[in-house]
Amino acid sequence: MTGYRCGELFGEGRRDAASVMAHETFVLEDTDILDYLIKSDLIGETMKELLFVYKTLMKEGRLIYTGFDTDYEEMLYRYRNNEKDRVEFFEEVLDDIRKATGVNVRFCLWLCDSPQECLDSHNIDQARHLKEFEFDMYDTSDIGSEQ
């Protein structure tokens, strides 16, 4: 599979994986990473259960109010409001991946499926054209997949 990236849009260089995962999940409230990990063999059952609880609470909108019914809701509130806490949480997730796969994930890049998707994801003015941007192509694979 090939992924595309535009430095002008996304910024240059690699990013700390735990920081990116934390931001996507708890700031942008995107549960795609949680969904992927829950369905994968990359983490253990205990971590899958924890991610499932957080995903469910996020989908129910429980991150919005401040009254806590469970310790999980209190932790979600902390993760949403404290960068250090949310990054430490995903460092634990990455440690679980390392234990399950032997792969130490430290850095990542966000990629899109097509150059057009790169533009669409950043709401680029439709008057600008693909040819005005330089896109890098990356071959991708899933952690632990057979090559």
Side-chain angles (χ1 to χ4, degrees), residues 5 29 38 42 47 51 59 63 72-74 79 96 98 102 105 107 111-112 128 138 140 147:
R5 180 176 179 80
E29 297 184 25
I38 291 166
L42 299 176
M47 184 63 75
L51 295 183
K59 294 279 187 185
L63 284 177
Y72 292 116
E73 288 175 327
E74 183 176 357
Y79 295 151
D96 217 58
R98 183 189 54 74
V105 178
F107 303 105
L111 303 175
C112 293
R128 295 186 74 185
Y138 295 86
T140 64
Q147 292 291 332

Coordinates of all heavy atoms in Angstrom, one line a residue, residues 5 29 38 42 47 51 59 63 72-74 79 96 98 102 105 107 111-112 128 138 140 147:
R5 N 2.0 12.1 1.5 CA 2.2 13.2 2.5 C 2.7 14.4 1.8 O 3.5 14.3 0.9 CB 3.2 12.7 3.5 CG 3.5 13.7 4.6 CD 4.5 13.1 5.6 NE 4.8 14.0 6.7 CZ 4.0 14.3 7.7 NH1 2.8 13.7 7.8 NH2 4.3 15.2 8.6
E29 N -10.7 13.6 19.3 CA -11.7 12.6 19.6 C -12.0 11.7 18.5 O -13.1 11.3 18.2 CB -13.0 13.3 20.1 CG -12.8 14.1 21.3 CD -14.1 14.8 21.9 OE1 -15.2 14.3 21.5 OE2 -13.9 15.8 22.6
I38 N -7.9 -2.5 18.9 CA -8.8 -3.4 19.5 C -9.0 -4.6 18.6 O -9.0 -5.8 19.1 CB -10.2 -2.8 19.9 CG1 -10.0 -1.8 21.0 CG2 -11.2 -3.8 20.2 CD1 -11.2 -0.8 21.2
L42 N -1.9 -6.7 18.1 CA -0.8 -5.9 18.5 C -0.7 -5.7 20.0 O 0.3 -5.3 20.5 CB -0.8 -4.6 17.7 CG -0.7 -4.6 16.2 CD1 -0.9 -3.2 15.6 CD2 0.6 -5.3 15.8
M47 N -5.2 -4.7 27.7 CA -5.2 -3.3 27.0 C -6.4 -3.2 26.1 O -6.9 -2.1 26.0 CB -3.8 -3.2 26.3 CG -3.7 -1.8 25.6 SD -3.7 -0.4 26.9 CE -2.0 -0.6 27.6
L51 N -9.0 -0.1 26.2 CA -9.3 0.8 25.0 C -10.7 0.7 24.6 O -11.3 1.7 24.3 CB -8.4 0.4 23.8 CG -6.9 0.5 24.0 CD1 -6.2 0.1 22.7 CD2 -6.5 1.9 24.4
K59 N -17.6 7.6 22.6 CA -18.7 7.6 21.6 C -20.0 8.0 22.3 O -20.8 8.6 21.7 CB -18.9 6.1 21.1 CG -17.8 5.7 20.2 CD -17.9 6.2 18.8 CE -16.8 5.6 18.0 NZ -16.8 6.1 16.6
L63 N -16.9 12.4 27.6 CA -15.8 13.3 27.8 C -16.2 14.8 28.0 O -15.4 15.6 28.4 CB -14.8 13.3 26.6 CG -13.9 12.1 26.5 CD1 -13.1 12.2 25.2 CD2 -13.0 12.0 27.7
Y72 N -12.8 5.4 35.0 CA -12.5 5.5 33.6 C -12.8 6.9 33.1 O -12.1 7.5 32.4 CB -13.2 4.5 32.8 CG -12.7 3.0 33.0 CD1 -13.6 2.1 33.5 CD2 -11.4 2.7 32.7 CE1 -13.2 0.8 33.7 CE2 -11.0 1.4 32.9 CZ -11.9 0.4 33.4 OH -11.4 -0.8 33.6
E73 N -14.0 7.4 33.5 CA -14.4 8.7 33.1 C -13.5 9.8 33.6 O -13.2 10.7 32.9 CB -15.9 9.0 33.5 CG -16.9 8.2 32.7 CD -18.3 8.3 33.1 OE1 -18.5 8.5 34.3 OE2 -19.2 8.3 32.3
E74 N -13.1 9.6 34.8 CA -12.2 10.6 35.4 C -10.8 10.6 34.7 O -10.3 11.6 34.4 CB -11.9 10.3 36.9 CG -11.0 11.3 37.6 CD -10.8 11.1 39.0 OE1 -11.4 10.1 39.6 OE2 -10.0 11.8 39.6
Y79 N -7.0 12.8 30.5 CA -6.3 12.6 29.2 C -6.7 13.7 28.3 O -5.9 14.2 27.5 CB -6.6 11.3 28.6 CG -6.1 10.1 29.4 CD1 -6.8 8.9 29.3 CD2 -5.0 10.2 30.2 CE1 -6.3 7.8 30.0 CE2 -4.5 9.1 30.9 CZ -5.2 7.9 30.8 OH -4.7 6.8 31.5
D96 N 2.9 -2.1 25.3 CA 2.1 -3.3 25.1 C 2.4 -3.9 23.6 O 2.5 -5.1 23.5 CB 0.6 -3.0 25.3 CG -0.1 -4.2 26.0 OD1 0.3 -4.6 27.1 OD2 -1.1 -4.7 25.4
R98 N 5.1 -3.4 21.9 CA 6.4 -3.9 21.9 C 6.5 -5.3 22.5 O 7.1 -6.2 22.0 CB 7.4 -3.0 22.7 CG 8.9 -3.5 22.7 CD 9.7 -2.7 23.6 NE 9.3 -2.6 24.9 CZ 9.3 -3.6 25.8 NH1 9.8 -4.7 25.5 NH2 8.8 -3.4 27.1
G102 N 7.5 -7.4 19.6 CA 8.9 -7.2 19.5 C 9.3 -5.9 18.8 O 10.5 -5.6 18.6
V105 N 7.9 0.9 18.6 CA 7.3 2.0 17.8 C 7.6 3.3 18.5 O 7.2 3.5 19.6 CB 5.8 1.8 17.5 CG1 5.3 3.0 16.7 CG2 5.5 0.5 16.8
F107 N 8.3 6.5 16.4 CA 7.9 7.6 15.5 C 6.9 7.2 14.5 O 6.7 6.0 14.2 CB 9.2 8.1 14.8 CG 10.3 8.4 15.7 CD1 11.4 7.6 15.8 CD2 10.3 9.6 16.4 CE1 12.4 7.9 16.7 CE2 11.3 10.0 17.3 CZ 12.4 9.1 17.4
L111 N -0.2 9.7 7.0 CA -0.3 9.5 5.5 C -1.7 9.5 5.1 O -2.6 9.1 5.8 CB 0.5 8.3 5.1 CG 1.9 8.1 5.5 CD1 2.4 6.7 5.0 CD2 2.8 9.2 4.9
C112 N -1.9 9.9 3.8 CA -3.3 9.8 3.2 C -3.2 8.8 2.1 O -2.2 8.5 1.6 CB -3.7 11.2 2.7 SG -3.9 12.4 4.0
R128 N -7.0 26.0 -5.6 CA -5.6 25.5 -5.7 C -5.7 24.1 -6.3 O -6.6 23.3 -6.0 CB -4.9 25.5 -4.3 CG -4.8 26.9 -3.8 CD -4.0 27.0 -2.6 NE -2.5 26.8 -2.8 CZ -1.6 26.7 -1.9 NH1 -2.0 26.8 -0.6 NH2 -0.4 26.5 -2.2
Y138 N 5.1 7.0 0.3 CA 5.7 6.0 1.2 C 5.0 4.7 1.0 O 3.8 4.6 0.9 CB 5.5 6.5 2.7 CG 6.2 7.7 3.0 CD1 5.6 9.0 2.8 CD2 7.4 7.7 3.6 CE1 6.2 10.2 3.1 CE2 8.1 8.9 3.9 CZ 7.5 10.1 3.7 OH 8.1 11.3 4.0
T140 N 3.8 1.4 2.8 CA 3.4 1.1 4.1 C 3.1 -0.3 4.3 O 2.9 -1.1 3.4 CB 2.1 1.9 4.5 OG1 1.1 1.5 3.7 CG2 2.3 3.4 4.3
Q147 N 5.3 -9.9 5.1 CA 5.7 -9.1 3.9 C 5.8 -9.9 2.6 O 6.1 -11.0 2.7 CB 7.1 -8.4 4.1 CG 7.0 -7.3 5.2 CD 6.2 -6.1 4.8 OE1 6.1 -5.8 3.6 NE2 5.6 -5.5 5.7

